[in-house]
Amino acid sequence: MKFLYEFFEKNRPSKDSLMYYPYEAGETFMFTPKTVTGSKGAHVRDAIDLKRMMMTVIIAMIPALLFGIYNVGEMHAVATGAEMGFGDKVLFGAIRVIPIIIAAYAGGGLVEVVFGALRKHPINEGLLVTGMLIPLVVPASIPLWQVFVASAFAVLIGKEVFGGTGMNILNVALTARAFLYFAYPAQISGDKVWFDLADATAVDGFTGATFLGLASSASSEGIEVAKYAAEATASWSAGLYSAENLFFGFIPGSIGETSTLAVLLGALILVGTRVGSGRIILATVLGAMGMGLIMNAFGANTYMQMPAYYHLIAGGFAFGAVFMATDPVTAAQTDTGKWIYGALIGILTVIIRVWNPAYPEGIMLAILLMNVLAPLVDYYVVEANKKRRLKRATV
Amino acid sequence: MSKNITLKKGFDIKLKGKAELNLLNVDQPETFALKPTDFVGMIRPKALVKEGDTVKAGTPILFDAKQEGVMYTAPVSGEVVGIIRGEKRRLMEVRILADKEIQYVEFPKYTDLASVSKEDAKTAMLSSGVWPQLVQRPYAVVANPSQEPKAVFVSGFDSHPLAPDYEFLFKGQEQYLQAGIDILKKFAPEVHVTTNGKAGSSILAGLNATQHKVSGPHPAGNVGVQIHHINPINKGEVVWTINPFGLLQIGKLFLEGKYDASKLVAVAGSELNKTGYVQTYLGANVKKMVEGNLAQDNVRVISGNVLTGSSIEKDGYVGFYDHVISVLPEGDKPRFFLKDGWLGFITDRLSFHKAWGLLGGASKEYALDTSLNGEERAFVMTGAFEKVVPMDILPTHLIKAIMAKDYDNMEALGLYEVAEEDLALCEFIDVSKHDVQGIIREGIDMLRLS
């Protein structure tokens, strides 16, 4: 790799050049810089850097991504009744998903590089994660240009205007999703988008509603949620919304969100490597479970009577709890704060799902809301620490 | 009112090349130096000698124009051969070419320490050169003689990587250690001595002082962490800290009437052929300890430990407060990302974070180099600092308060209680590669000089 290193050394642009930071990004990507520690202070440093940390998050997302690619094909087969083998399904999914990933990296990357060059700051590794998260939280049928625009918007408005990586208030990937939700609702909500039909026609009796969509209709019909969901799909895919399918992920939904199992694998990687906060994940699950049980206790309609654990396996709850809520920049930063932050996300998710007819999926709004409130949560935790310190003083 | 303290937070960095417990056969260095830069609080160092002057051990050679009473004296007798100045003619080093036989300045000698008055003790300590061994908190600077401390703290063990073994350093010197404690009891109502709860016995455990046992990973041995758990510092209070070596010097000053700067220095690190201890004096030149003892040439010599020390030349001088020389490989090589860089499968570098691929266990001994292992970035990771600071302090918020120059929050979040060394592990584990200790000192200076 010596020639490559020499190539970088020879062609390095000057620090004033617009090309400096994009160039540096490429160089530091290929070679860890030979920078050594200062003459005072810690002379040895931990082997980790931000690149490696971000890469760990991407690796944690791979199970969800791979399953998502397969499931896009699987759902196509279910909706159109087409005979497809495993390979066909994966191929169908890959053709749909990979361009979306490229569009997301391109949109966000463009903004990141332009800002890095103009404002003279290093290109940040956070983009690696953001660019992978966005494809996983959109349906496969989404137009590519919308992904590109949403990704660019999210990096620009969600992050760069606040001063770049580490300074943002809202989770960047969720900002992209919220942008799509409000700017192009037809392509990311309702019951037309979750199965990627391509040019084929759907089977007879097909309804594209997701489980959460059906759950909220069930309450107005007064029928038990699971039964209602089973009836809605009985004529074309019996048992589509069984609890097992919800858990394993053979259901329609955003590309990476459907499989609780795949997300759990990711959670194991994140928590095992200590990159993601297990505290937040656990608190979110406990919050949702607790609120689900409270709903059961009231049981005013059939949605409220739905077993609480359904909230954990339905929709994007697991994905949000593991990959979105744990974003260290936008989450609460104190240990106590993380418990409160996570629990409130879980509680709010269930409340929004059950009580708000407009948003069948509650986790996105719950996390965005708690992103905004996280500094407040931290504020009180920090104040408590200061008070403890002051109390000790005798004067 | 002794306490047993068990700390859970922290991290032991196990490095290859811990000093073996025997004396190395190394010739006595020819020159010794006192470096004003070792005293972080010193604002205007002034030299009291010129090149060519002869001095005895205990002759004042420099002082701080902002704190005139405290004398910094020659560790050995001999001729002043160099007064080194840096930028803006700031005094950097006073070098002394040592006599073969050390001559001592005579100070009053006592057989009964109870008869020494506090005033006499203070005068003797200030003029002889032992006073700078007393470091005060808040601010972690040389103690201000005009202030009354609420207690004195002595940490009886060092938990840093490659730390010297205090049992070896202070073996057989109990009487001087006790004399040092007895003198300091005149200044403060209590003298607290801590020993390592994990170790079986300790020389210091037998001393007549308020004894505590502390166990846990590094920074359990840091005096700041111990103070926090034993008798924390509140606004307006002052405590003094002193290394057992300082106790020795005070003890010898009063029992023998001389400023005895002889000390053992551990020579450690993965790049040395032979590690061990060297019997020498404060401020020794390291050339003879290092020369001919290196496994390779591209090394960094550090006076002190690898977390808080300062890098020195291969013929530089041991710092005033240091008891160890650490020699590490320089890490100034680029690394290809797939091979041994940021995406490589790495087992020979240590990480507190268990991130993917860094599969080595923390119990193994590592030969770490000085590579930064990454580039400086904005703060992204949270919660990690809190895992290595065993105090009721929120390090991330404290650091951010300093960066924002928020004086009220610096105070309220505990800056009075910490020194750089207490957050050195934060600097080690920081994913964003910030100069955490530099930031802490900046904050301390902001409060101290405001």
Side-chain angles (χ1 to χ4, degrees):
Chain A
M1 287 306 135
K2 215 170 164 198
F3 73 95
L4 194 61
Y5 183 72
E6 277 162 10
F7 168 81
F8 274 117
E9 285 287 282
K10 257 185 223 148
N11 294 290
R12 185 191 306 278
S14 87
K15 264 214 151 173
D16 306 322
S17 154
L18 272 185
M19 281 309 293
Y20 180 77
Y21 282 108
Y23 180 90
E24 194 219 17
E27 187 190 10
T28 58
F29 185 88
M30 300 301 283
F31 295 97
T32 306
K34 40 187 186 174
T35 327
V36 291
T37 50
S39 63
K40 244 180 139 71
H43 297 269
V44 291
R45 293 294 190 107
D46 195 294
I48 202 172
D49 67 349
L50 209 54
K51 284 190 175 67
R52 198 175 184 97
M53 210 181 86
M54 294 296 181
M55 208 57 191
T56 310
V57 184
I58 293 184
I59 287 170
M61 282 190 276
I62 284 179
L65 173 70
L66 293 181
F67 180 83
I69 288 176
Y70 166 78
N71 195 46
V72 168
E74 168 76 17
M75 285 303 113
H76 176 74
V78 166
T80 60
E83 285 291 321
M84 289 170 85
F86 178 79
D88 291 337
K89 289 174 186 167
V90 170
L91 188 66
F92 181 88
I95 291 172
R96 294 281 148 171
V97 174
I98 291 170
I100 296 178
I101 298 175
I102 295 171
Y105 274 117
L110 184 73
V111 174
E112 181 82 39
V113 169
V114 167
F115 263 74
L118 291 179
R119 292 172 63 186
K120 307 230 174 286
H121 71 64
I123 315 290
N124 262 296
E125 290 81 7
L127 181 73
L128 289 174
V129 171
T130 309
M132 185 60 91
L133 275 172
I134 294 172
L136 295 183
V137 296
V138 296
S141 62
I142 195 160
L144 291 180
W145 67 268
Q146 288 186 6
V147 177
F148 182 90
V149 172
S151 175
F153 173 88
V155 173
L156 183 71
I157 303 295
K159 190 169 79 174
E160 292 299 340
V161 294
F162 291 107
T165 300
M167 316 284 182
N168 44 313
I169 292 167
L170 299 175
N171 181 301
V172 184
L174 273 181
T175 308
R177 163 123 181 206
F179 170 78
L180 288 172
Y181 193 90
F182 292 110
Y184 309 108
Q187 280 80 25
I188 201 170
S189 60
D191 49 14
K192 297 283 182 288
V193 302
W194 306 106
F195 291 88
D196 194 348
L197 296 175
D199 297 328
T201 44
V203 292
D204 284 346
F206 169 77
T207 155
T210 60
F211 176 76
L212 289 173
L214 291 173
S216 62
S217 331
S219 66
S220 53
E221 304 272 325
I223 308 172
E224 200 184 311
V225 170
K227 211 166 145 197
Y228 184 83
E231 278 169 13
T233 59
S235 70
W236 53 281
S237 177
L240 178 66
Y241 289 126
S242 66
E244 295 82 58
N245 274 0
L246 288 174
F247 177 75
F248 289 110
F250 301 105
I251 51 165
S254 295
I255 294 166
E257 286 185 346
T258 61
S259 174
T260 310
L261 178 68
V263 171
L264 275 179
L265 286 176
L268 280 181
I269 297 175
L270 280 188
V271 176
T273 56
R274 293 198 206 149
V275 168
S277 165
R279 214 175 252 118
I280 292 178
I281 299 175
L282 189 61
T284 309
V285 169
L286 290 178
M289 199 65 198
M291 196 62 210
L293 290 173
I294 293 172
M295 291 282 181
N296 288 170
F298 285 99
N301 60 36
T302 59
Y303 201 169
M304 288 173 76
Q305 288 156 12
M306 183 179 82
Y309 71 88
Y310 267 76
H311 283 295
L312 308 184
I313 53 179
F317 175 83
F319 190 88
V322 171
F323 291 111
M324 300 292 194
T326 54
D327 171 5
V329 174
T330 55
Q333 313 212 329
T334 53
D335 282 355
T336 319
K338 282 175 177 163
W339 285 115
I340 301 170
Y341 170 83
L344 282 173
I345 288 178
I347 291 169
L348 283 171
T349 303
V350 173
I351 291 178
I352 295 170
R353 279 181 175 181
V354 176
W355 283 345
N356 191 323
Y359 307 107
E361 177 54 288
I363 185 106
M364 172 184 86
L365 285 173
I367 295 175
L368 285 175
L369 195 59
M370 286 312 297
N371 280 172
V372 176
L373 293 181
L376 187 70
V377 173
D378 278 338
Y379 174 80
Y380 283 106
V381 176
V382 173
E383 285 304 302
N385 178 284
K386 288 194 219 163
K387 277 210 189 95
R388 238 183 350 259
R389 196 177 307 289
L390 268 180
K391 216 186 250 169
R392 267 184 351 216
T394 41
V395 272
Chain B
M1 215 181 47
S2 76
K3 277 186 186 175
N4 280 334
I5 300 158
T6 308
L7 304 173
K8 289 209 178 71
K9 294 174 174 184
F11 186 57
D12 280 325
I13 302 171
K14 296 209 170 76
L15 295 183
K16 266 186 197 153
K18 205 168 164 56
E20 282 182 46
L21 292 181
N22 51 37
L23 282 181
L24 285 179
N25 195 10
V26 175
D27 291 342
Q28 206 48 250
E30 278 148 14
T31 53
F32 294 80
L34 211 55
K35 298 182 281 189
T37 48
D38 288 341
F39 311 100
V40 285
M42 195 181 258
I43 299 169
R44 283 177 58 205
K46 295 260 178 241
L48 290 165
V49 287
K50 300 187 297 293
E51 279 185 33
D53 287 359
T54 54
V55 294
K56 289 182 178 174
T59 307
I61 54 176
L62 61 94
F63 72 104
D64 182 359
K66 290 279 183 189
Q67 198 179 59
E68 288 192 354
V70 187
M71 288 300 153
Y72 298 78
T73 61
V76 293
S77 62
E79 184 189 345
V80 177
V81 288
I83 293 182
I84 313 298
R85 292 181 184 276
E87 269 174 43
K88 295 183 185 165
R89 290 192 47 76
R90 190 180 166 83
L91 189 58
M92 303 299 283
E93 266 175 33
V94 178
R95 292 183 190 164
I96 298 163
L97 179 66
D99 293 336
K100 285 271 176 289
E101 185 104 0
I102 306 290
Q103 311 283 317
Y104 294 94
V105 176
E106 279 181 35
F107 294 100
K109 201 165 151 180
Y110 301 88
T111 44
D112 176 21
L113 292 181
S115 67
V116 184
S117 76
K118 181 178 161 187
E119 280 317 305
D120 288 347
K122 192 190 254 187
T123 315
M125 286 164 70
L126 284 170
S127 59
S128 63
V130 302
W131 188 272
Q133 295 287 347
L134 284 168
V135 172
Q136 68 161 53
R137 300 268 176 128
Y139 311 137
V141 295
V142 170
N144 182 346
S146 62
Q147 280 175 331
E148 300 270 328
K150 73 165 177 173
V152 179
F153 287 85
V154 185
S155 174
F157 65 106
D158 189 344
S159 57
H160 283 102
L162 299 178
D165 184 344
Y166 277 15
E167 301 307 305
F168 193 79
L169 290 187
F170 305 118
K171 198 166 49 186
Q173 318 244 31
E174 291 85 342
Q175 54 157 331
Y176 299 122
L177 293 170
Q178 185 62 56
I181 290 172
D182 293 343
I183 293 295
L184 289 176
K185 277 185 181 162
K186 300 179 191 301
F187 293 88
E190 266 189 315
V191 176
H192 298 270
V193 173
T194 61
T195 49
N196 188 351
K198 280 189 289 189
S201 62
S202 168
I203 292 165
L204 287 106
L207 299 174
N208 179 17
T210 314
Q211 292 280 349
H212 309 271
K213 277 191 185 307
V214 183
S215 40
H218 181 67
N222 278 12
V223 70
V225 172
Q226 297 167 354
I227 297 170
H228 180 85
H229 290 277
I230 294 168
N231 187 356
I233 307 160
N234 302 302
K235 191 178 179 180
E237 293 173 343
V238 173
V239 305
W240 287 352
T241 69
I242 189 166
N243 183 280
F245 176 72
L247 292 180
L248 274 186
Q249 284 199 318
I250 296 174
K252 285 177 180 169
L253 175 69
F254 288 92
L255 293 179
E256 293 180 353
K258 63 181 186 186
Y259 175 62
D260 182 355
S262 65
K263 72 188 316 190
L264 277 174
V265 174
V267 183
S270 61
E271 300 315 289
L272 290 176
N273 296 327
K274 253 172 103 191
T275 62
Y277 289 79
V278 174
Q279 177 70 55
T280 182
Y281 297 87
L282 199 149
N285 187 301
V286 299
K287 193 174 176 187
K288 288 183 177 164
M289 306 175 200
V290 174
E291 204 172 54
N293 191 10
L294 293 175
Q296 54 125 340
D297 255 357
N298 190 21
V299 298
R300 178 181 297 192
V301 181
I302 299 157
S303 169
N305 66 71
V306 300
L307 281 180
T308 64
S310 314
S311 79
I312 55 174
E313 299 292 319
K314 285 177 197 160
D315 60 351
Y317 297 87
V318 185
F320 187 83
Y321 297 104
D322 297 331
H323 299 270
V324 61
I325 299 290
S326 316
V327 184
L328 295 183
E330 279 286 6
D332 53 356
K333 283 175 229 47
R335 294 178 169 134
F336 185 59
F337 79 113
L338 285 175
K339 194 170 152 258
D340 50 359
W342 64 275
L343 202 46
F345 186 84
I346 302 166
T347 54
D348 62 345
R349 271 178 271 154
L350 177 64
S351 179
F352 171 76
H353 309 270
K354 289 282 165 247
W356 166 71
L358 298 166
L359 299 175
S363 56
K364 182 175 136 186
E365 287 191 335
Y366 290 83
L368 299 184
D369 64 27
T370 62
S371 170
L372 200 57
N373 289 323
E375 303 110 61
E376 189 167 320
R377 287 290 185 261
F379 278 113
V380 168
M381 194 58 184
T382 64
F385 290 175
E386 282 72 10
K387 292 196 182 88
V388 294
V389 179
M391 303 163 107
D392 185 21
I393 277 178
L394 299 165
T396 317
H397 291 83
L398 176 60
I399 291 165
K400 287 186 174 175
I402 296 170
M403 291 171 105
K405 299 194 165 44
D406 178 348
Y407 285 71
D408 290 344
N409 266 326
M410 279 189 246
E411 236 180 67
L413 289 168
L415 193 58
Y416 289 132
E417 295 191 54
V418 299
E420 296 97 311
E421 58 171 16
D422 300 325
L423 276 88
L425 273 175
C426 297
E427 188 170 315
F428 174 78
I429 69 164
D430 186 12
V431 172
S432 309
K433 313 292 175 188
H434 286 262
D435 174 15
V436 173
Q437 296 184 76
I439 295 169
I440 294 294
R441 178 48 64 182
E442 202 186 313
I444 290 176
D445 281 344
M446 273 188 245
L447 285 188
R448 186 166 74 99
L449 306 173
S450 67

